[in-house]
Amino acid sequence: MLLTVREAAERLRVSARTVEREIAAGRLACVRVRSRRLVDEAARKAAGMADVHFHDLRHTYASWLAQDGVSMASIRDLLGHASMQTTSRYAHLGRADLIEATRRVGDRVGSGGNGRKAG
């Protein structure tokens, strides 16, 4: 049976903040957590990554998908975004075609404009 933080505090006869600290420390897992902050704290502590937040991981996930050429529609669906506008923040990361075009121009500039690679 899962309890809310308040229910657990009442049963244990401690403050809700004490229950929250125990959850964050990973010593109490029988509580239904309504706050993502508590889950974040417990995960960061367990991983030894105090400066990493859930949204950072979500952004990295979406960025890697975009960089690997996954369509923006698929990324939108995977992230559960309602609008493509929200997902479009990641669009610049999936433009391998632009990166390749820029590399080609750089090669031409490096060759003196004759189309051959320098070197």
Side-chain angles (χ1 to χ4, degrees), residues 37-117:
R37 178 184 57 81
L38 294 175
V39 174
D40 283 353
E41 285 177 19
R44 287 194 314 265
K45 182 175 179 98
M49 303 170 81
D51 293 334
V52 175
H53 299 277
F54 175 79
H55 189 77
D56 299 330
L57 301 175
R58 185 175 162 83
H59 187 82
T60 299
Y61 173 71
S63 298
W64 287 353
L65 289 170
Q67 290 168 357
D68 286 346
V70 175
S71 74
M72 287 296 115
S74 294
I75 295 171
R76 178 199 60 209
D77 294 344
L78 288 166
L79 295 176
H81 290 159
S83 106
M84 188 60 82
Q85 183 176 4
T86 303
T87 309
S88 68
R89 295 178 200 165
Y90 307 102
H92 68 283
L93 298 169
R95 299 304 311 260
D97 55 330
L98 296 179
I99 294 168
E100 175 60 20
T102 302
R103 187 198 57 74
R104 288 182 194 167
V105 170
D107 287 349
R108 179 167 268 189
V109 169
S111 69
N114 64 15
R116 295 187 193 116
K117 289 185 179 180

Side-chain angles (χ1 to χ4, degrees), residues 2-19:
L2 294 177
L3 305 172
T4 64
V5 170
R6 191 174 91 196
E7 290 167 344
E10 289 171 1
R11 286 188 183 197
L12 296 170
R13 295 186 180 146
V14 297
S15 70
R17 185 63 192 140
T18 298
V19 171

